[in-house]
Amino acid sequence: MTSKLSRISWKYFQKLTLPAVIAVTVLFAPGCKKFLDVPPKDLVPQATLLKDEQGFKDALTGVYLGMDKPKNGANYGLYTTNLSMGMMSTLAYNYDNATVPNIGVGGAFFNNVVYYVYLDGEVRKEIDGIWGGMYNNIANLNNILIQIGSKEEIFNRDNYNRVKGEATALRALFHFDLLRMFGQPPLSGPAVKAIPYVTQFTIRSTPFVTLQAGLDSCIVDLLAAKDMLAATDTSAVLKGVDDAFTSYTQNHLNYWAVQALLARVYLYKGDLENAEIYSKSVIGSNKFPLISSNVAGAANIIRDRTFSQEHLFSVYSTSIKDYSGSLFGTATALRLLPAGKNTVYTSGSGNASDYRYTSWFDNNASAINVPSKFFQDNNLPYELQGNVPVIRASEMYYIAAECANNKNDIASGASLLNKVRAARGLNALNAAGITNTDSLSTEIMREYQKEFIQEGQTFFYYKRLNKDLKQATGTVAVIPAGVYVFPIPDKEKEYNR
Amino acid sequence: MNYFKNKLTGKRRIFSMMAACTLFLFLITTNIVYGQEKTIPTVKGVVKNDGGDVLAGATVSVRGTKILTTTKSDGTFELKNVPEEAVLSVSYVGHTRTEIKLKPRQAEITIRMTSSSAVLTEVIVNNGLYRRPAGNFTGAAKTFTGEELKSVNPSNVLQALAVMEPSIRIEQNNALGSDPNQLPIIQIRGQNNLPLTTQGGAATSATPVSNGDIMSTYLLNPNQPLIILDGFQSTLQIIYDMDINRIASITVLKDAAATTAYGSKAANGVIVVETKQPLAGRTQIVYAVNMNVEIADLSSYRLLDAKGLLEAQRLAGVYTDPNNHFNDVSLKQWYDYRKYQVASGVNTYWLSQPIRTGIGTNHSLSISGGARSVRYSLSLNYNNGVGVMKGSGRERFGLNYTLSYTNRSLRFSNNTTVGHAKGYTTPWGSYSQYSAQFPFFKPTDSAGNTIKIFEPTGTALGIPGSPPGGVFTNTAYNAGLDMNNYGYTTTFSNNTNVEWTINKEMRLRGAVGFSNNMPGSEAFFPADHTMFVNALAAGVADLGSYTQSRGKNKSIDGRINFDYNRKFGVHTVMAAFGVSMQATESNSTTVQVSGLPNDYLNQLGMANGYGTIIKPAATNNVTRSLSSYISVSYNYADRYTAEITANASGSSQFGSNNRLAPFWAGGVAWNVDKEKFFKKNDIIQNVRVRLTTGITGNQNFAAHMSQPVFQYNLLNNYRLQLGAVVQSYANPDLKWQQTLKSNLGVTAALLKGKVNIGFDYFTENTDNLILPLDVAPSTGFVNYQDNLGAVKNSGYEFSISSPIIQNRTKNIFWSLSFNVGHYQNEITKLSPAIEALNKANNSTTNPELKQTTPLPRFEVGQSMTRIWAVPSLGIDPATGKEVFVKLDGSKTFVWDPNDKKPVGDGNSKLKGMIGSNFNYKGFTFNINLTYQVGGQMYNQTLVDKIENVNLLVTNADERVLTERWKQPGDIVSYKSLVANGTNGLQQTNATSRFVQDNDYLEAASTTIGYTFPTNLAWVKKLRLSTPRLFITQNNVFRFATIKTERGTGYPFSRSFSFGLSTTF
């Protein structure tokens, strides 16, 4: 009897086997995809990172870090060396000893740069690296902007607008600087194809647009960014506060910096009306007042060599000490020789009392007098360390002055310029010498030359106005044709037709 | 009654139909007739083995009942109330289960059993997922028993496998020689991947020890075959460290039909390792001891002695400076000092200093037994592998426990393995340092203390300048220091198998495996170590270093298999279906610290800081994969066989758009001799032709290539915030590489079994090779990975074996075997990015490129192993300069990388083995010769030790003095040794002059063994059953066309093994 029972149950058991096997298999199938979705842990999968606010903040911070060392970038830091104290300043003839071989960190790099040999292997590599690094940053920004979409609900306070606004503005900044480097000078080639303006995250290449169209896209992005950032807390310019993300306003591309950038872009485009509006708006905000005493000449522990309160936006990097040390700290340091220094600072309307003359040059460890804007003194307060200005308040006065000058309002122009001169320990311009727009223009250029040593903006100033480089800089180099336009990387030409 | 019976079978039929419909969509009708319900009161019988001896203790049962007994000492048994025409089932240790159906009213029976080792190789093919009769199998596979492999090489199973199987090749690593801590690089039927780091490999593994991480080992060698140990994916390391006595069999699966069930992991072939399972019967104890003696093989070295070296240095201009008289005088004084040393008799043979005769032992003990339902086995193993360099070795401990329970239809088994292996790196340092050391340096001072710095300073000797070549330190000095340098790995694994025999036709099996592998390494170098001699100036804090790394690799596997096997009439149908999943996780941490001034401060925590190393390293990888297969085979009348297998694999490594990969294979086989038209003859008795084709995959690439991943920048912060950027452009369409494998095989038995031949021809077309594709940098990326390339491999394997003498009465057996394997490789498609890579390798301006060795270059139509060098006409007798041929045919003295042409191929055309196996009574004599023909090698030693030798700092080959060009008219093979201002160092770049044929014949193994007869008095007294003594010698001789210094970083060795094994 029992055996019969067991046989029957066995029989039914047998019958159920196959359906059971199939059921288990079928149950597996929908779980498959999820089971297989496990990227490695030491790298963070996008889906995990961009799930909350912190992830977006970190992705944005990644781009700020990329302004120093981006992926696919060059040998030298991007905004921290090539676009500031390194290549761009050398092109503006800030370091007249670069005409001697093996100056700087050794090798022929700066020597080739000062002679504008863009096609030299090393220089070419650096230019390709600028292109690659800038666009890698742009790709990261586009990824953030696509991923952030309308995920407003995962953000606290005004952080959605901060992230999205800053990302949009940074995209414009990078494209604008690419346009300034790789595009034709605005006076001679606004309709010439310049760069691709990339707004998608894709492996397919974006077609080249003209300088004009590129600048217009920058303006579109910046205006959008301005509106987004206007919706954030703009009551104060902060230093270190409890929230790391909103700390150090000046190290973020903030609301005012976006307006300053708009002024710079409009001016580059030749739209002086708008340039004046935005430069005045920044000046009028009074958030970034000009210095009132020579903070760059203060004792070492508080020595503010870059006049940091005037920074609308500066890039932070922990490596500035190394960069500055390798270029300016050695026996073969890059330098502006005494004659050149005097030409820039003390001749004409200049004076040896200029804070920039007295405090922006120091002897390095090898007792050589070098430009010292980026020296990081021992025990320097944290907030003064590692800043490389991208855009500063004094430029707003120069832009406003240029706009006034353009309207033949020489008096207003001179008065704007005098505000900066006063803040630099110089007397007001002798009104008798400023009789026409040309003379005021010359004074503005001289201010650019003095103010932006080691910051790289002077070269773009020359380019914007199609200045004769030989005349403007007094360089001994033969100026080749097309010196204002960097060569597009070969790989770009090959793969983006 | 009849009606009822039909109804019953009807139900069975429905069940079968369900199985058939869902599994393979064809219908099988079953028709079973049940026996009559009569019984026989007593059935008597006797159980014998194939030799006619009675078997005591065999289990005899009646199938389908609980009637069971064991045989007595005379092999007889008695069963009561046995149903008429019942099926008797007999099992015995080491024999296959035998089932015999009683004839009507039969009450007496003699049952003969066959030993199982023979059955394993001939009848069943096991692919690790399911077993099937060889008749239903069309694929190319080869099985070797553990015993066969052990007789070839008792200490290295992988070497043994390479000797026996022509399709397996082990990459000769000339630098690492016979280092016991180096895993061989193996491949089956050639390589399917470009040897580039573009596969995302290499850099991802931070752990210095070759560890048990499944993923990283494949990334390091993307051509490595899949390793399956008892049904679960395993690593080469585990097989390498495993006790050879535990191995029951190793099956090498080669073609698509054999491997497709493994889907996306199968393209490189599969090595299936099965361990011995406990057998029922009385408790059996097997003990084997093996002593392994290793002797360094230094015969390939021909270094200069003290006098010769000094002369060579003098000729090379080491002791002159024509441009600076002051230096010149100083150098002359150094020459005089060294000459005095030579004259005083210093002539140290450095090569023998770090060398010893390594004597290692392997003990292996296993106990197994149990009744019919519960069986167990326990095996213990201790192996002490001793390398030929002093202080190097590998110690292994192993414990394995298996418990199985079988009832009528369920079989449950659980297996636990614990292993620990510790590999010691020699404190004597790299062997290349000893071949470089000057023979006119003394190893010890007059008091017998080891010298640390060889020469006194110039000041001490009153010589104004520093010695030529700088400060020389004695690497041997480090051997006397208290330092640690070892790696270890602890392995734990537990596998559970459940097998349910539903009925005669159907079986369901499930298995779960868990393994945990914990590798680590410790390396401590005290401040007194010679590596810090020149770093003294760097400051005390950085002297001495300690590196510690820890890893943990876990994997969990699960599997369900169902198989169906039925024979009706002339038809045999076999089907198997299964699902498996795997999850692995591996991580590792490495910390390095500096500043441990004393050698007794040998702890990580004793360091005074991180020195210049600022960051610990860590990796963490997670992978998951899923695979399901279905395989159906059909055999008609033992004549025709057809099979088809399909697999769907998924892996977390694939792009999100391509998560599940389909693979398939099909094959047919034809037993020609079973046809009616095949007349019986004396020449050919047996011919079987097989043809298979199918697609398999390879997923040995890094996961981040297909998925968007952010990478944190941990070295920098932005105002105290960390940032992350997109790591690379993830290609969501990225697919597995797929290989279309085709195989045509013929096996035949000739001359009444006197000659057996096997032949396989194969082609493997790998498509979708993952290569980088360059894109416009304005996309933000330099390139991305896509399926772009293609490679074709083709070749054949041929084997012939012949039992020449088989005399049972006189007990003489002699068999010969020969095999040969050939494969060739051709790149059929490449991405443009590779062209850029080729160009970069032709650069003369990049100082990091070493043109002294042929750099890889990949071109469509060429093989991956092609050697590219500039064609050379030899040395111009007039000038002593090398004459090159440019691409346009003109001659030049100037070497230009753009003149490189394909001048050889690193892949040898033929590789194989010749073996002889002789048995007389208890004596065994085996010899296996391996050979390789038709490949080339760039003789780097000649270049490095004769022409590019920097005599300022290293010793050289004696041919530097004897065979280099000296004066006009000399017709020699080597460039002039002339001081050209840089101490005779004229760089010789990749030239066809040093491309040499790499053919060899080597006695891979020779074994002499003796099995003591069981009737000896002492054998009986000690209750031993098969005591066996054997001596194996590996690499007795080697004839090679190329003479290189073999084993530059670690010497090669010849080994002798003495083994004794016995069963209690």
Side-chain angles (χ1 to χ4, degrees), chain B residues 717-781:
Chain B
N717 70 74
Y718 194 78
R719 287 290 179 205
L720 305 180
Q721 297 178 87
L722 286 183
V725 292
V726 177
Q727 207 224 6
S728 56
Y729 186 82
N731 181 358
D733 297 317
L734 197 70
K735 284 198 281 191
W736 50 94
Q737 294 180 187
Q738 59 180 38
T739 304
L740 174 69
K741 296 184 171 198
S742 301
N743 191 86
L744 173 67
V746 180
T747 45
L750 313 174
L751 307 172
K752 293 183 177 166
K754 283 274 181 230
V755 177
N756 294 301
I757 58 169
F759 176 80
D760 278 289
Y761 171 78
F762 66 90
T763 59
E764 298 192 353
N765 289 296
T766 300
D767 214 341
N768 291 344
L769 214 62
I770 296 168
L771 294 174
L773 181 65
D774 285 357
V775 291
S778 65
T779 58
F781 302 94

Side-chain angles (χ1 to χ4, degrees), chain A residues 10 14 18 32-33 35-37 39 42-44 46 49 58 72 136 140 251 318 382-383 385 387 491-492, chain B residues 19 500 502 620 624 626 652 656 659 707-712 716 718-719 721 723-724 726 777-778 780 782:
Chain A
W10 185 240
Q14 280 192 341
L18 203 72
C32 275
K33 212 169 148 72
F35 176 76
L36 298 177
D37 270 323
D42 56 339
L43 303 161
V44 188
Q46 175 161 297
L49 188 81
D58 289 356
N72 313 332
N136 184 266
N140 274 292
N251 293 122
T318 52
Y382 179 67
E383 61 190 47
Q385 290 173 21
N387 290 315
K491 266 190 83 180
E492 188 67 39
Chain B
W500 175 27
I502 302 164
N620 197 331
R624 284 184 189 168
L626 204 63
S652 56
S656 54
R659 272 289 154 80
Q707 293 156 56
V709 174
F710 273 83
Q711 187 175 36
Y712 269 91
N716 225 326
Y718 194 78
R719 287 290 179 205
Q721 297 178 87
V726 177
S778 65
V782 177

Side-chain angles (χ1 to χ4, degrees), chain A residues 447-464:
Chain A
E447 265 304 312
Y448 268 94
Q449 289 169 338
K450 290 176 208 178
E451 182 76 4
F452 294 114
I453 181 167
Q454 289 189 282
E455 285 183 37
Q457 298 300 332
T458 328
F459 182 74
F460 294 131
Y461 172 83
Y462 298 146
K463 177 170 178 178
R464 174 164 59 84

Side-chain angles (χ1 to χ4, degrees), chain B residues 475-796:
Chain B
T475 323
Y477 178 79
N478 302 323
L481 297 176
D482 178 16
M483 53 188 265
N484 292 337
N485 195 358
Y486 61 88
Y488 58 87
T489 167
T490 305
T491 320
F492 170 85
S493 71
N494 186 293
N495 299 339
T496 304
N497 285 276
V498 181
E499 188 174 314
W500 175 27
T501 310
I502 302 164
N503 57 31
K504 209 174 94 185
E505 291 102 25
M506 283 178 265
R507 262 195 324 171
L508 184 66
R509 285 176 299 145
V512 181
F514 169 78
S515 83
N516 195 352
N517 186 310
M518 286 161 291
S521 70
E522 310 274 329
F524 165 57
F525 302 105
D528 204 15
H529 196 280
T530 54
M531 73 165 78
F532 300 110
V533 162
N534 295 321
L536 262 166
V540 181
D542 275 3
L543 294 183
S545 78
Y546 198 113
T547 311
Q548 186 179 64
S549 89
R550 293 267 185 281
K552 191 169 182 182
N553 309 302
K554 281 189 289 190
S555 84
I556 298 172
D557 284 80
R559 190 154 56 85
I560 298 175
N561 297 318
F562 173 81
D563 49 66
Y564 177 90
N565 196 345
R566 179 149 162 72
K567 190 174 174 111
F568 43 101
V570 291
H571 313 279
T572 310
V573 173
M574 215 220 94
F577 164 72
V579 182
S580 64
M581 55 203 281
Q582 183 191 50
T584 70
E585 186 179 346
S586 66
N587 50 54
S588 71
T589 317
T590 304
V591 181
Q592 189 177 347
V593 293
S594 295
L596 297 109
N598 294 318
D599 63 356
Y600 54 83
L601 298 178
N602 58 353
Q603 303 265 314
L604 190 71
M606 300 288 188
N608 71 5
Y610 289 96
T612 48
I613 299 109
I614 51 163
K615 213 178 152 296
T619 60
N620 197 331
N621 282 298
V622 178
T623 66
R624 284 184 189 168
S625 61
L626 204 63
S627 169
S628 62
Y629 70 88
I630 173 165
S631 173
V632 182
S633 65
Y634 168 75
N635 180 295
Y636 174 76
D638 212 13
R639 284 203 301 228
Y640 310 111
T641 308
E643 73 171 313
I644 184 155
T645 306
N647 172 292
S649 292
S651 167
S652 56
Q653 289 153 266
F654 299 162
S656 54
N657 295 351
N658 275 316
R659 272 289 154 80
L660 278 173
F663 301 100
W664 61 269
V668 287
W670 178 30
N671 284 349
V672 183
D673 55 284
K674 297 283 176 4
E675 292 293 343
K676 287 196 184 81
F677 64 75
F678 190 87
K679 297 273 185 304
K680 282 212 165 178
N681 62 66
D682 287 345
I683 299 165
I684 303 173
Q685 279 75 46
N686 204 318
V687 182
R688 181 173 164 87
V689 183
R690 297 173 279 113
L691 182 65
T692 66
T693 185
I695 285 177
T696 58
N698 181 332
Q699 57 177 54
N700 301 341
F701 58 86
H704 63 80
M705 290 179 186
S706 62
Q707 293 156 56
V709 174
F710 273 83
Q711 187 175 36
Y712 269 91
N713 178 345
L714 299 171
L715 289 170
N716 225 326
N717 70 74
Y718 194 78
R719 287 290 179 205
L720 305 180
Q721 297 178 87
L722 286 183
V725 292
V726 177
Q727 207 224 6
S728 56
Y729 186 82
N731 181 358
D733 297 317
L734 197 70
K735 284 198 281 191
W736 50 94
Q737 294 180 187
Q738 59 180 38
T739 304
L740 174 69
K741 296 184 171 198
S742 301
N743 191 86
L744 173 67
V746 180
T747 45
L750 313 174
L751 307 172
K752 293 183 177 166
K754 283 274 181 230
V755 177
N756 294 301
I757 58 169
F759 176 80
D760 278 289
Y761 171 78
F762 66 90
T763 59
E764 298 192 353
N765 289 296
T766 300
D767 214 341
N768 291 344
L769 214 62
I770 296 168
L771 294 174
L773 181 65
D774 285 357
V775 291
S778 65
T779 58
F781 302 94
V782 177
N783 58 32
Y784 74 110
Q785 305 292 326
D786 206 350
N787 302 94
L788 297 165
V791 183
K792 182 183 171 182
N793 280 327
S794 61
Y796 58 81

Side-chain angles (χ1 to χ4, degrees), chain A residues 150-212:
Chain A
S150 49
K151 286 188 196 160
E152 203 165 350
E153 70 286 354
I154 62 167
F155 287 88
N156 294 314
R157 301 201 296 269
D158 54 7
N159 284 332
Y160 173 78
N161 280 320
R162 275 182 195 272
V163 172
K164 201 170 172 180
E166 287 181 25
T168 312
L170 282 168
R171 182 167 76 186
L173 169 69
F174 299 147
H175 279 116
F176 176 59
D177 280 331
L178 283 165
L179 285 165
R180 290 205 290 181
M181 288 183 278
F182 296 90
Q184 294 290 326
L187 293 177
S188 53
V192 178
K193 294 261 194 230
I195 59 159
Y197 198 97
V198 185
T199 54
Q200 297 296 315
F201 182 74
T202 169
I203 207 72
R204 268 181 214 91
S205 44
T206 308
F208 279 70
V209 294
T210 62
L211 175 67
Q212 188 73 39

